[in-house]
Amino acid sequence: MMTSCQDYHRHTSYDRCRMEGHFLDWSNRPRVYKEYYALKVVPLPVAAPIPETSLSELVLGDTPEQLPGSFSLEQLSQVFSLAYSLTAKSVHSNGEFFYRSVPSAGALYPCELYVATRSILDLPDGLYHYAIGRRGLVQVRPGNYFEVLCYPSPPDRSEEAPLLMFFVTAIFFRSAWKYRARSYRYHLMDSGHLLESLTLALKMLSLPYEVTLDFEDQGINSFLGCDAEREVCLGVVSVGCRGDSAGLLTNVPAELPESAPAASRVARKEIAYPALQQFHLASTGLIAPTGAIPALIREVGEFPTSWKTIPKCKVWPEQMHYGEVVRQRRSHRNFIEAGISESVFQAFVTLLCGGNEAPGGWSQRQRQTIVSGFLAGNVEGLDPGCYWLDHSQHRVGMTRSGALLERMSHICLDQEWLKQAGLHFFFATNLELLDKVWGPRGYRYAMMTAGRLGQMIYLAATSFALGCCGIGAFYDGEAAALLGLNETSVMLYLLAVGPVRRVGRRG
Ligand SMILES: Cc1cc2nc3c(=O)[nH]c(=O)nc-3n(C[C@H](O)[C@H](O)[C@H](O)COP(=O)(O)O)c2cc1C
């Protein structure tokens, strides 16, 4: 049974000497758009133009505290456009394929987005599925559900209830079709990317929000009408709520169209991967940590002997505003041998350390489940080597010197182009500590936080006219060895960043 972070991660690790071939059954390829055949899609209105705010203003600006007096369907449409939309197209012999504003391992797009609403002008209260391919909403349930959705108890007055509640789910088979049991890693990281994208969109519209990865899984999955063997909720974002939403719901109301759970099926012949299912089930328990949580940076392996403070960025090297960054973000692999300037590096560090949420919030605490580091290749002012990034102190400390990018590119399943990048950011964790402090759910926190910070790196790179590509495929043991991690610690995710031959749109 997969009951711990260590079990699942080890079970799904890649080893150069033990890689099994996997045949991709193209005739059984999962559909990338969720369809409710019996329900109607209501088109979203054209989104209002997006203000010309920069990414840095958005990320480092204060998180709004007040709900606006009223909220319209046009504004909701704007949230969806910024958070999750189709932004590029490629044309193949068998048709068109659309890429999205958030990246996804293998472009398999396991994530779906739902919203529960109340009091939105021109939209009846209800639970809606966002039909990204048709830019519309499907009403899954009519009515106002905030009384039952609220945490830890329903608000006394309706104006204290959230205005909106977003739910990010993942459909297992979409990514499992290609990545089998390892795909749970990608469900979590892809969801983290989407969560970060959503919170930035909410911030752009000056909406106060709160992210929670803790909720009552079974209740929320049935509220959403998901077939929980196939599709599960991984994150919730409440808009306009108060306090710490530690637990969500349970009396799920009944009015769900009978056909809804069937919509979680995305292929004719779906294969279930027991390791994935078992581990997800194990992670449905919630554990409140007791006692002080050790600083992870001291628990993952080699510790720097000296640190270098990185000054906060004052003159931003941004080349476009946030709305354009969202439209232009793509994965780029055509790195060229050119360096990253000191000021651009400082800008990355400022954004990563600044975070997108009020200090002290729950998601800030979840940052304790991972540590960030990077391999410097060609970065002005930094010797090549492996470094930890200490978010709280705005400083970096080297653990190993030397040109390590080429070795990392071999470790990443011989994706040779990676060695040309200026730097590789990475996220790591100590699985034993996760198990001890948070239980199996700690894996969700760590992977989704890595995805959230990964989204920030993609957006920052785009904004600075650099290329970026997330990497989830690597020989796990070799990566840990190169980074000097101890035997219970692992690398979770890597993002290559650097100048590329041409940054432009696909399609
Ligand atoms: C979690 C994650 C892992 C990824 N792993 C790889 C990888 O190992 N190699 C690669 O070339 N691209 C990887 N990608 C990039 C995806 O292939 C890319 O996001 C997808 O093709 C969609 O293209 P776009 O990012 O340009 O929209 C990864 C992306 C994510 C989010």
Side-chain angles (χ1 to χ4, degrees), residues 449-463:
T449 306
R452 292 190 68 182
L453 291 173
Q455 181 68 10
M456 186 71 79
I457 292 173
Y458 259 106
L459 295 177
T462 310
S463 177

Side-chain angles (χ1 to χ4, degrees), residues 123-307:
L123 186 72
D125 293 352
L127 169 71
Y128 294 86
H129 169 255
Y130 169 55
I132 184 172
R134 301 215 241 156
R135 252 196 73 74
L137 295 176
V138 175
Q139 194 186 67
V140 182
R141 291 175 185 273
N144 178 338
Y145 292 95
F146 291 99
E147 293 261 310
V148 286
L149 279 168
C150 274
Y151 49 132
S153 53
D156 300 334
R157 293 178 308 166
S158 71
E159 66 268 27
E160 288 187 352
L163 177 68
L164 305 166
M165 237 176 189
F166 290 91
F167 304 86
V168 172
T169 67
I171 297 186
F172 290 145
F173 190 65
R174 288 238 181 92
S175 318
W177 170 70
K178 180 168 182 187
Y179 299 115
R180 296 176 285 171
R182 189 174 169 106
S183 63
Y184 191 54
R185 299 183 183 201
Y186 306 140
H187 298 128
L188 297 174
M189 286 190 287
D190 278 15
S191 301
H193 276 278
L194 179 51
L195 277 176
E196 188 69 9
S197 180
L198 176 60
T199 59
L200 286 167
L202 294 171
K203 216 167 168 183
M204 185 81 191
L205 271 84
S206 300
L207 292 167
Y209 62 82
E210 187 179 282
V211 179
T212 181
L213 308 185
D214 284 350
F215 45 86
E216 206 249 296
D217 291 76
Q218 204 194 342
I220 292 289
N221 290 333
S222 38
F223 170 66
L224 298 177
C226 300
D227 170 352
E229 296 277 299
R230 298 188 155 86
E231 177 180 7
V232 295
C233 183
L234 293 170
V236 179
V237 181
S238 310
V239 175
C241 54
R242 314 248 163 102
D244 212 4
S245 43
L248 289 166
L249 138 85
T250 329
N251 293 321
V252 179
E255 322 91 47
L256 181 71
E258 253 174 51
S259 59
S264 297
R265 173 181 270 282
V266 291
R268 199 171 22 86
K269 201 174 65 200
E270 293 188 353
I271 300 159
Y273 291 90
L276 185 170
Q277 307 264 10
Q278 279 168 18
F279 183 56
H280 178 73
L281 214 57
S283 74
T284 55
L286 294 175
I287 294 179
T290 49
I293 301 170
L296 197 59
I297 201 161
R298 291 193 168 270
E299 306 287 334
V300 283
E302 291 167 10
F303 191 72
T305 48
S306 65
W307 292 90

Side-chain angles (χ1 to χ4, degrees), residues 48-60:
I50 296 154
E52 297 202 349
T53 307
S54 67
L55 178 70
S56 61
E57 284 168 325
L58 199 57
V59 173
L60 303 172

Side-chain angles (χ1 to χ4, degrees), residues 416-490:
E416 292 291 320
W417 47 271
L418 282 168
K419 68 176 179 229
Q420 304 269 86
L423 88 129
H424 293 172
F425 284 107
F426 62 83
F427 303 108
T429 194
N430 181 327
L431 296 169
E432 188 180 47
L433 200 77
L434 280 192
D435 279 322
K436 205 160 109 199
V437 178
W438 311 90
R441 205 169 186 103
Y443 198 72
R444 294 198 203 177
Y445 307 152
M447 281 302 206
M448 291 173 77
T449 306
R452 292 190 68 182
L453 291 173
Q455 181 68 10
M456 186 71 79
I457 292 173
Y458 259 106
L459 295 177
T462 310
S463 177
F464 308 152
L466 297 175
C468 176
C469 189
I471 301 292
F474 42 84
Y475 299 115
D476 295 82
E478 292 182 30
L482 182 70
L483 304 181
L485 303 182
N486 59 31
E487 60 182 20
T488 52
S489 296
V490 293

Side-chain angles (χ1 to χ4, degrees), residues 87 99-107 109 179 185-186 189-190 193 329-333 415 417 458 469-473 493 506:
T87 51
Y99 294 85
R100 305 187 184 186
S101 49
V102 290
S104 165
Y109 303 112
Y179 299 115
R185 299 183 183 201
Y186 306 140
M189 286 190 287
D190 278 15
H193 276 278
R329 185 219 59 79
R330 294 264 74 79
S331 296
H332 293 281
R333 300 169 183 84
Q415 301 185 72
W417 47 271
Y458 259 106
C469 189
I471 301 292
Y493 190 25
R506 208 192 255 118

Side-chain angles (χ1 to χ4, degrees), residues 29-162:
R29 189 181 177 195
R31 289 182 292 279
V32 289
Y33 301 116
K34 184 171 182 178
E35 293 279 354
Y36 295 86
Y37 295 106
L39 304 179
K40 138 166 147 257
V41 182
V42 179
L44 279 163
V46 175
I50 296 154
E52 297 202 349
T53 307
S54 67
L55 178 70
S56 61
E57 284 168 325
L58 199 57
V59 173
L60 303 172
D62 290 337
T63 310
E65 286 181 4
Q66 297 273 323
L67 268 181
S70 64
F71 193 70
S72 68
L73 191 53
E74 278 78 16
Q75 287 168 299
L76 184 61
S77 175
Q78 215 173 24
V79 173
F80 284 120
S81 289
L82 284 167
Y84 202 28
S85 53
L86 306 182
T87 51
K89 175 175 90 173
S90 61
V91 183
H92 304 281
S93 50
N94 49 356
E96 294 174 333
F97 185 84
F98 289 88
Y99 294 85
R100 305 187 184 186
S101 49
V102 290
S104 165
L108 296 167
Y109 303 112
C111 296
E112 297 290 335
L113 192 52
Y114 301 76
V115 64
T117 68
R118 72 167 173 93
S119 313
I120 294 196
L121 304 177
D122 304 321
L123 186 72
D125 293 352
L127 169 71
Y128 294 86
H129 169 255
Y130 169 55
I132 184 172
R134 301 215 241 156
R135 252 196 73 74
L137 295 176
V138 175
Q139 194 186 67
V140 182
R141 291 175 185 273
N144 178 338
Y145 292 95
F146 291 99
E147 293 261 310
V148 286
L149 279 168
C150 274
Y151 49 132
S153 53
D156 300 334
R157 293 178 308 166
S158 71
E159 66 268 27
E160 288 187 352

